[in-house]
Amino acid sequence: MHGIAPGDLAPPAAQPVGARAETAGPPAVAARPGSAALGRAMALAAIFGGALAAIATLGPRILDIHDLGWLLHGTLGPDPVAYLSAWMYFAPSPWSWPPGLNPDYGLELSSAIFYVDAVPLMAFLAKALRPLLEIPQYWGPWMVLSAGLQAFFAWRLLGLAVPDPVARALGALIFAWQPLLLNRMGGHFALCSQWALLWALWLCLRPDPGLHLGRQARHWAGCLGLVAMLNPYVMAMCGGLWVADLLGRALRGAAPRPRLSPLVLQPALVLPAMAGALWLAGYFTLAGDVLPMGVHYGASQFDLTAPFDAVEWGRLLPALPGLRHWEAGGSYLGAGAILLLALALALAPRGTLRPALRRHAVLVLALAGMLAFAMSNHVAIGGHIVLVYDLPAPLLRLADMLRASERFFWPLAYASLFAAIAGLALRLAVVPLRWVLAGLLLIQVVDIQAGMGRFRALVAAAPPVAAERLADPFWAEAGRRYHRIRAVPAENFGAHWEPVARFAAPRGLPTDAAYHSRVDPEAVAALRARTRRDLARGWWEGGTLYVLRDAPTQALVAARIDPTRDLLEQHDGLWVFAPNWYAR
């Protein structure tokens, strides 16, 4: 990756305050002897310090790829169970086209691992390694890698404004020891790919590439193509930053006129890279009016006090009145980061921000637009909805696909942290800057121990081998007799999906008891209608065990079974219908 190495920036006293924002990029200066070695050492220290944040949050056991207990026990919620269940089907299945298809997890409701938030890129790598190494779980190593990458890309981003490698490493660690990131380790593992936002911000803020338009296009194609196989939320945010960079550089006249315009070159590379990556991950396997799981847009929005609301994360700051929806706590910045922003504002001379804001006006508008999307059409301050407005139905339907809108605060948060550290680097000499950033990092680490300790306790409470949810001997026998399990009526994230999926997945039994982030409602309706019609006629699928989810279905089956041949009983709290159970 092309970037600015340590020593490439003039020290703060080398130019007037605010002058840096007026130029295409920081002027290069001669590197001091040993500065390259120190830079490499500090970069490695930042990466390892970032990775340590993930280990400190969940504990070292997450690095054991054979330890499944902390995923299956349920202390981190149902999402990890879905990730692991989907992986158990995907890993041993033959490669397909697109390779993200996962038909046995969900049967007629199945789609691809993209719609189970299983980090498709990591799933592909782990599956490709199976001939050499079987990987029962990759989410622990993934989160440690993501925290390290968060620090690495923060290091690259800060290289645009912080010449001193020690200060640069300390600043990078503030990005990694960040509740915005660490909070997602409580169950939303794919959202740990926030390092891609720092990559995108680096691309937006680095000096105009001049004759190297192809290099900028390749960077964006790599960034967006990669993140398309990680998480759709982060992909959407990075996509917005790409458009802002493309338009901003075009308006600034950054492209030399004899060369191919970036407005043509970049989309020609970036859009196919994104589309190809989405196709590989299985994004296009769903059609129709796809329904998201959970609440709709406007019900998990950004409260304007959320960055300062410690909720369960902060030890040094109190919880504030705020929204307490399922995303609560996901926007808290940490006491060290909040103090960093306050200190940078206090030290900033009047008028120093204006040139930078003017130069990056399109980026600022994009960040403001994402903040507005995060706030949604139900604007909240301190837990109170102060403004509600209607959106056109087509826009609301599109917004529903990214319904957890509070997350769109992240790009502005990271851009603000960068601006604050850059501002301090302009105002402070090297040694004071190091001490200030070290103190802020210490405050940050101490403050967020409240949330980290809670997550560590949840993981520690899980045994290395999770107990079976379906322990009745009936299930072991049923697993030998049947080769498919249906839960009726069909439903995504329906009743008893978790114990059924946990039972079926290790045995390789295809099942429609599944949890996907998005489903095709027409497929659900069609499966429900077909199954009910078959049961009403007394038609049972061969080799299929049925889990009956409601009383009407139980009554329907009870009226049509042959008690001398079929079994209808309750085991471990689930009503099961086992056709031909008594047949010899």
Side-chain angles (χ1 to χ4, degrees):
M1 182 181 300
H2 176 69
I4 299 173
D8 286 349
L9 300 175
Q15 55 182 323
V17 172
R20 187 173 300 172
E22 298 282 13
T23 62
V29 296
R32 291 185 293 273
S35 62
L38 178 61
R40 287 191 293 269
M42 289 296 99
L44 288 174
I47 293 169
F48 283 110
L52 182 62
I55 298 173
T57 300
L58 296 180
R61 65 181 289 189
I62 64 172
L63 286 170
D64 182 356
I65 61 174
H66 298 283
D67 186 344
L68 306 183
W70 63 279
L71 292 164
L72 285 177
H73 189 62
T75 51
L76 293 180
D79 294 66
V81 179
Y83 307 153
L84 191 56
S85 298
W87 168 244
M88 287 180 177
Y89 288 104
F90 182 73
S93 65
W95 287 100
S96 61
W97 288 104
L101 291 179
N102 199 18
D104 286 345
Y105 183 66
L107 294 173
E108 291 85 353
L109 306 184
S110 69
S111 51
I113 53 170
F114 182 91
Y115 291 104
V116 195
D117 293 332
V119 194
L121 180 62
M122 291 296 293
F124 292 159
L125 293 174
K127 183 171 181 173
L129 287 173
R130 273 180 65 84
L132 302 174
L133 174 66
E134 185 170 351
I135 302 177
Q137 69 90 3
Y138 54 80
W139 290 274
W142 154 252
M143 287 186 281
V144 174
L145 173 64
S146 291
L149 288 173
Q150 180 95 344
F152 170 74
F153 281 103
W155 163 270
R156 300 308 299 268
L157 178 62
L158 291 172
L160 300 176
V162 182
D164 177 55
V166 176
R168 190 174 164 188
L170 291 168
L173 289 174
I174 294 177
F175 279 82
W177 290 74
Q178 176 51 245
L180 299 183
L181 169 69
L182 303 180
N183 187 59
R184 313 324 303 193
M185 297 180 183
H188 298 149
F189 304 151
L191 288 168
C192 292
S193 52
Q194 294 172 34
W195 48 265
L197 295 173
L198 305 181
W199 185 0
L201 284 171
W202 176 74
L203 288 171
C204 288
L205 294 172
R206 71 176 185 154
D208 290 325
L211 296 177
H212 301 293
L213 292 176
R215 180 180 297 166
Q216 184 80 346
R218 289 193 297 273
H219 267 297
W220 276 117
C223 176
L224 290 169
L226 193 66
V227 77
M229 289 194 286
L230 298 177
N231 180 262
Y233 280 91
V234 182
M235 178 189 70
M237 297 176 213
C238 289
L241 294 175
W242 166 59
V243 173
D245 180 59
L246 183 64
L247 294 179
R249 292 185 191 275
L251 291 174
R252 292 196 302 268
R257 297 195 180 280
R259 307 285 292 186
L260 187 61
S261 168
L263 290 172
V264 176
L265 176 63
Q266 285 199 26
L269 289 177
V270 172
L271 294 179
M274 288 181 66
L278 289 171
W279 178 81
L280 290 171
Y283 173 79
F284 300 106
T285 55
L286 286 185
D289 191 12
V290 176
L291 286 180
M293 276 297 304
V295 298
H296 292 274
Y297 179 71
S300 57
Q301 74 275 44
F302 176 75
D303 189 311
L304 288 173
T305 62
F308 317 103
D309 182 6
V311 194
E312 296 178 319
W313 266 95
R315 172 178 290 176
L316 304 178
L317 297 179
L320 302 177
L323 298 176
R324 290 297 181 261
H325 51 59
W326 64 312
E327 288 286 305
S331 296
Y332 178 59
L333 294 173
I338 293 171
L339 187 56
L340 165 65
L341 296 174
L343 186 61
L345 283 175
L347 293 179
R350 184 176 299 176
T352 55
L353 288 177
R354 193 172 303 152
L357 294 177
R358 186 165 54 242
R359 175 173 178 76
H360 297 288
V362 179
L363 174 60
V364 172
L365 288 174
L367 295 173
M370 283 188 264
L371 176 63
F373 183 83
M375 294 164 59
S376 85
N377 58 335
H378 293 73
V379 181
I381 301 177
H384 299 284
I385 306 297
V386 298
L387 176 64
V388 177
Y389 58 92
D390 294 328
L391 291 174
L395 286 181
L396 194 58
R397 191 158 48 247
L398 287 174
D400 253 354
M401 298 306 297
L402 297 166
R403 70 200 186 284
S405 63
E406 181 172 342
R407 301 166 183 175
F408 280 78
F409 165 67
W410 299 345
L412 177 60
Y414 287 131
S416 299
L417 291 178
F418 166 75
I421 296 173
L424 291 182
L426 282 172
R427 299 296 295 167
L428 300 177
V430 170
V431 174
L433 178 63
R434 291 178 179 179
W435 281 107
V436 167
L437 290 177
L440 292 172
L441 175 61
L442 178 62
I443 293 171
Q444 180 81 355
V445 172
V446 171
D447 181 49
I448 63 175
Q449 286 306 305
M452 296 172 72
R454 182 169 57 92
F455 279 9
R456 280 196 303 272
L458 291 174
V459 172
V465 178
E468 288 285 351
R469 297 287 178 85
L470 303 178
D472 190 305
F474 162 83
W475 295 101
E477 179 64 23
R480 290 188 288 268
R481 293 195 187 191
Y482 296 92
H483 56 77
R484 185 189 300 111
I485 303 179
R486 288 201 179 276
V488 187
E491 186 178 1
N492 183 42
F493 198 59
H496 314 306
W497 80 268
E498 187 173 335
V500 174
R502 278 192 52 183
F503 169 77
R507 295 164 176 82
L509 301 175
T511 182
D512 56 9
Y515 173 19
H516 294 89
S517 62
R518 303 290 188 276
V519 293
D520 181 351
E522 294 183 1
V524 176
L527 180 57
R528 290 169 72 103
R530 193 199 76 195
T531 306
R532 180 175 179 81
R533 183 175 61 249
D534 290 347
L535 294 178
R537 294 174 179 175
W539 294 353
W540 331 125
E541 291 184 47
T544 299
L545 178 71
Y546 293 85
V547 174
L548 309 181
R549 283 174 160 154
D550 59 21
T553 306
Q554 296 163 21
L556 184 68
V557 171
R560 289 158 179 79
I561 66 170
D562 179 353
T564 65
R565 186 184 60 204
D566 306 321
L567 179 145
L568 178 61
E569 288 182 351
Q570 194 174 31
H571 293 277
D572 289 319
L574 279 63
W575 277 96
V576 293
F577 167 47
N580 299 313
W581 181 263
Y582 300 112
R584 295 185 181 275

